[in-house]
């Protein structure tokens, strides 16, 4: 795909990025020159990237390169870390996510998150799913919503007879799918997943991946993963992050090295560092 | 190869190598300590009951629901003191529980570390005030303040309630309950603080990531998580309130009647024992005081056992299911 035209029609850019089934035509997040630091130490520097609607976007890279730090910028979870500071711009459907009038609570209602370690509440399966809707005041038809959500997350058949049982009694993989379902219950726009399968066995992992495939028609998904095959299997686009030593020797920070279609990143990367990483010569 | 030569690569033998002195000593000391504590408790209970026995025989169980205490006319009954104990402790808990939870939440969730640490220390230092000193403060400062300001204020707003009727008084059930509140707060708030700081971070993150406010995360995740511990803390506070004698004696006014208002003097089991035992003029008065002690002992034991039971049930429920 050669893009030699000097004048780029920005209206066409989206179409270029879109897949034949029409996903990816719109931009959900546009990040420019994003730098995150913890208590003055830069952890991630100068990231520019856009995330397309209904795409699965994967972040890969060695440990400590700032993948979690980055994904937490999209739902303002970094606000909860004392000393964390985010500079640069994150536009969400064109609106500055870090603007003065933006309420992080409202942001998190639209942008759900699934964590590395399954973290169901020590409540019943039903109450876990109903948690978000209750907070958001979606009080009607909770029963129906719980059922619909669990079916959506392909968990219904396994739990329909034990909705009143404690969620901690589920297996790790079921717990993680419950956490995905919990995030779906409030009908978010985007789902962020930070290594959602890293604590799970291969079968549970493949069920999560199937689920991601199911969900991408309705949601925009951003996933951090250590597992390159996983990124290759689920993601439309992949961003490779790496660690860069600072020139003045004051430490290291994460940078975005390459961001492209997943097939391109894995088969024909532009950057030598990406190539080393995806071929296993690094980390 | 018929003789068995020890193979140098074979694993070391696993036969018993003689006694392990450390383990045996440890087990022995632990056993003696456990049995010793149980024995002291049993012995103490026996002693109290046997010393009180003449009074128990003389007055029977009706002692418990008899009102009045007059050594001159030989009238002895525990009801006034049981009532005083329960009412002062109940009010103290009613005030101390929400305050302790609020203090703990403030210190763990709201105040930044460098503010939280000194405040926490100060709250805990409240527990270091000797109760007799707190009682003196109660007599000299707090009691007059209650009589001159708090009780008239309560009366002007809630005077229609019988518990706030009658004349304000420097010494009475209400100031005693408030002094008890001050004495319980350090314990219950310290336990609550510990409980809230142990709520797993990923649970509150999970709640916040769903779009809950911090208060919703506290109310729907942190408080339910800490609930069994909080109920245990409350019962521990109750144990302390039941048993406290000195400071209560100083501010409760040694009343001999039950009043529907909280203003007039009353008395508690512990306070009456502390204030009257040395001056007891007759054998039956001393034995009646020991009867009060026996009742206090039983009430305290019941409180502690139910505290245990509640904690156990909560823990089981959390482990098993049915959220
Ligand atoms: N809460 C925090 N406080 C201080 N420094 C932090 C915090 N979280 C992350 N960091 C630092 O920021 C850098 C990036 O961390 P981050 O967790 O984002 O990496 P990661 O790519 O997700 O790594 P992994 O693959 O191991 O999860 C690291 O150097 C880390 O030490
Ligand atoms: Mg991470």
């Amino acid at each position: 795909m050669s893009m030699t035209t000097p004048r780029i029609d920005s209206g066409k850019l989206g179409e270029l990025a879109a897949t034949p089934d029409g996903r990816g035509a719109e931009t959900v997040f546009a990040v420019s020159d994003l730098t995150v630091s913890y208590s003055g130490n830069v952890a991630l520097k100068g990231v520019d990237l856009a995330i397309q609607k209904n795409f699965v976007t994967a972040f890969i890279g060695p440990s400590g390169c700032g993948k979690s730090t980055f994904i937490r910028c999209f739902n303002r979870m970094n606000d909860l870390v004392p000393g964390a500071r985010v500079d640069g711009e994150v536009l969400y459907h064109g609106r500055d996510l870090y603007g003065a009038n933006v309420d992080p609570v409202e942001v998190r209602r639209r942008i759900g998150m699934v964590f590395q370690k399954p973290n169901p509440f020590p409540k019943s399966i039903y109450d876990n799913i109903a948690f978000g809707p209750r907070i958001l005041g979606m009080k009607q038809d909770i029963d129906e919503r719980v059922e619909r959500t669990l079916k959506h997350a392909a968990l219904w058949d396994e739990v329909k007879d034990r909705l009143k049982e404690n969620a901690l009694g589920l297996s790790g993989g079921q717990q993680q799918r419950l956490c995905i379902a919990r995030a779906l219950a409030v009908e978010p726009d985007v789902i962020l997943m930070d290594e959602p399968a890293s604590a799970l066995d291969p079968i549970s992992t493949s069920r999560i991946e199937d689920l991601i495939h199911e969900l991408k028609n309705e949601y925009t998904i951003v996933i951090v993963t250590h597992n390159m095959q996983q990124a290759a299997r689920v993601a439309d686009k992949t961003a490779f992050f790496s660690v860069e030593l600072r020139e003045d020797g004051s430490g290291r920070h994460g940078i975005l090295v390459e961001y492209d279609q997943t097939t391109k990143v894995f088969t024909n990367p532009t950057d030598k560092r990406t190539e080393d990483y995806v071929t296993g010569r690094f980390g | 190869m018929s003789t068995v030569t020890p193979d140098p690569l074979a694993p070391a033998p696993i036969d018993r190598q003689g006694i392990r002195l450390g383990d045996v000593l440890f087990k022995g000391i632990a056993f003696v300590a456990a049995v010793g504590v149980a024995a002291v408790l049993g012995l103490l209970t026996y002693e109290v009951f046997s010393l009180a026995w003449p009074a128990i025989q003389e007055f029977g169980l009706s002692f418990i629901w008899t009102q009045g205490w007059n050594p001159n006319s030989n009238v002895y009954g525990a009801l006034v003191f049981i009532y005083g104990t329960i009412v002062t402790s109940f009010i103290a808990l009613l005030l101390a529980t929400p305050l302790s939870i609020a203090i703990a939440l403030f210190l763990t969730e709201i105040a930044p570390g460098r503010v939280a640490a000194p405040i926490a220390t100060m709250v805990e230092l409240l527990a270091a005030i000797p109760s007799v000193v707190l009682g003196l403060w109660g007599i000299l400062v707090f009691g007059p303040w209650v009589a001159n300001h708090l009780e008239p204020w309560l009366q002007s707003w809630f005077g229609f309630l019988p518990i706030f009727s009658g004349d304000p008084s420097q010494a009475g059930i209400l100031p005693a309950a408030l002094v008890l509140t001050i004495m319980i707060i350090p314990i219950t708030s310290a336990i609550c603080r510990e409980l809230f700081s142990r709520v797993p971070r990923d649970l509150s993150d999970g709640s916040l990531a769903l779009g809950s406010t911090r208060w919703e995360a506290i109310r729907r995740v942190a408080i339910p998580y800490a609930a069994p511990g909080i109920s245990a803390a409350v019962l521990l506070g109750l144990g302390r309130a039941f048993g406290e004698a000195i400071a209560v004696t100083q501010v409760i006014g040694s009343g001999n009647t039950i009043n529907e208002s909280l203003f007039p003097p009353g008395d508690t089991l512990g306070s009456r024992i502390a204030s009257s035992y040395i001056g007891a003029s007759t054998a039956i008065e001393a034995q009646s005081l020991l009867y009060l002690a026996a009742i206090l002992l039983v009430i305290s034991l019941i409180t502690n056992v139910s505290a245990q039971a509640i904690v156990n049930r909560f823990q089981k429920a959390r482990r098993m299911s049915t959220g």
Side-chain angles (χ1 to χ4, degrees), chain A residues 33-241:
Chain A
D33 198 21
L34 187 88
T35 295
V36 186
S37 44
Y38 295 107
S39 319
N41 299 315
V42 174
L44 185 68
K45 194 168 176 190
V47 176
D48 293 284
L49 135 172
I51 287 179
Q52 263 93 34
K53 191 170 162 74
N54 295 115
F55 264 16
V56 177
T57 306
F59 297 162
I60 61 169
S63 190
C65 66
K67 305 179 295 294
S68 300
T69 299
F70 188 43
I71 202 172
R72 290 161 62 92
C73 291
F74 294 113
N75 65 343
R76 295 195 54 169
M77 283 302 271
N78 283 330
D79 292 21
L80 306 170
V81 179
R85 184 189 158 91
V86 177
D87 292 299
E89 192 180 58
V90 182
L91 296 181
Y92 171 62
H93 293 294
R95 262 202 80 180
D96 184 3
L97 209 54
Y98 287 82
N101 287 329
V102 174
D103 179 359
V105 170
E106 290 299 329
V107 169
R108 294 185 202 117
R109 291 178 177 185
R110 285 168 186 75
I111 303 169
M113 185 167 214
V114 176
F115 297 81
Q116 175 167 3
K117 204 175 130 244
N119 61 346
F121 302 123
K123 299 170 182 286
S124 69
I125 294 170
Y126 183 97
D127 286 340
N128 264 274
I129 305 291
F131 190 94
R134 281 177 182 152
I135 283 177
L136 270 61
M138 307 171 173
K139 294 258 160 63
Q140 303 132 353
D141 302 326
I142 292 223
D143 285 355
E144 199 247 339
R145 180 180 288 272
V146 168
E147 178 172 344
R148 184 158 31 97
T149 307
L150 284 168
K151 281 181 173 156
H152 211 141
L155 197 60
W156 176 250
D157 289 331
E158 289 158 76
V159 302
K160 62 170 182 253
D161 300 322
R162 47 196 288 209
L163 292 176
K164 295 281 161 215
E165 281 174 37
N166 197 306
L168 298 179
L170 297 172
S171 75
Q174 288 172 325
Q175 287 186 12
Q176 192 62 305
R177 280 184 286 141
L178 183 73
C179 291
I180 296 176
R182 187 173 72 181
L184 296 179
V186 295
E187 296 170 13
D189 179 34
V190 181
I191 302 172
L192 309 171
M193 302 183 178
D194 191 352
E195 301 192 44
S198 69
L200 306 180
D201 63 280
I203 293 176
S204 305
T205 301
S206 86
R207 301 192 114 172
I208 302 256
E209 290 176 12
D210 291 345
L211 185 55
I212 292 172
H213 276 294
E214 292 279 317
L215 295 175
K216 71 180 172 194
N217 293 313
E218 285 165 76
Y219 301 94
T220 303
I221 297 174
V222 181
I223 178 172
V224 172
T225 176
H226 258 127
N227 179 331
M228 279 183 277
Q229 286 81 21
Q230 183 168 65
R233 281 192 299 260
V234 300
D236 296 286
K237 292 186 83 172
T238 297
F240 170 64
F241 290 82

Side-chain angles (χ1 to χ4, degrees), chain B residues 55-274:
Chain B
I56 297 175
Q57 273 188 318
E58 171 85 17
F59 305 116
L61 279 182
S62 68
F63 181 79
I64 296 172
W65 54 85
T66 300
Q67 239 194 91
W69 190 274
N70 188 351
N72 297 328
S73 54
N74 214 25
V75 173
Y76 296 102
L79 192 65
V80 173
F81 315 119
I82 295 176
Y83 171 83
T85 303
I86 291 176
V87 169
T88 50
S89 303
F90 182 75
I91 296 173
L93 272 191
L94 211 63
L95 298 173
T97 306
L99 272 172
S100 299
I101 293 177
I103 292 172
L105 284 174
F106 174 74
L107 294 177
T108 53
E109 307 282 336
I110 299 169
R114 72 204 129 77
V115 180
I119 296 180
T121 313
M122 258 152 47
V123 173
E124 265 157 46
L125 274 179
L126 269 184
I129 301 176
S131 57
V132 68
V133 174
L134 197 64
L136 273 180
W137 172 78
I139 296 174
L140 300 172
V141 182
F142 191 60
W145 179 81
V146 168
N148 297 330
H149 298 99
L150 182 65
E151 290 183 353
W153 182 84
L154 283 171
Q155 204 158 41
S156 69
W157 285 96
F158 307 104
F160 57 91
L161 295 172
I163 52 170
F164 298 132
S165 62
D167 293 331
S169 148
Q170 293 197 10
I173 295 272
L174 188 63
L178 296 177
V179 166
L180 279 179
T181 310
I182 297 172
M183 301 182 81
I184 303 175
I185 281 178
I187 313 173
T188 42
S189 70
I191 301 176
C192 289
R193 193 161 58 93
E194 178 68 23
L195 291 164
F196 286 126
S197 67
R198 284 214 218 131
V199 174
R201 181 68 202 260
D202 59 347
L203 288 186
S204 37
D205 277 359
S207 170
L208 293 166
L210 283 168
S212 79
T213 60
R214 283 177 76 176
W215 165 241
E216 283 162 341
I218 289 169
R219 189 166 72 85
R220 291 170 187 264
V221 179
I223 290 180
Y225 189 89
I230 292 173
S231 52
V234 165
L235 282 157
L236 275 174
L238 193 61
R240 166 111 210 233
F242 279 163
E244 178 52 39
I246 297 300
V248 175
T249 304
Q250 287 166 288
V251 294
I252 201 166
S254 291
N256 282 322
T257 50
I258 294 178
N259 299 286
E260 58 180 6
S261 170
L262 299 176
F263 297 169
D267 218 344
T268 67
L269 292 163
S271 159
R272 180 52 59 112
I273 298 163

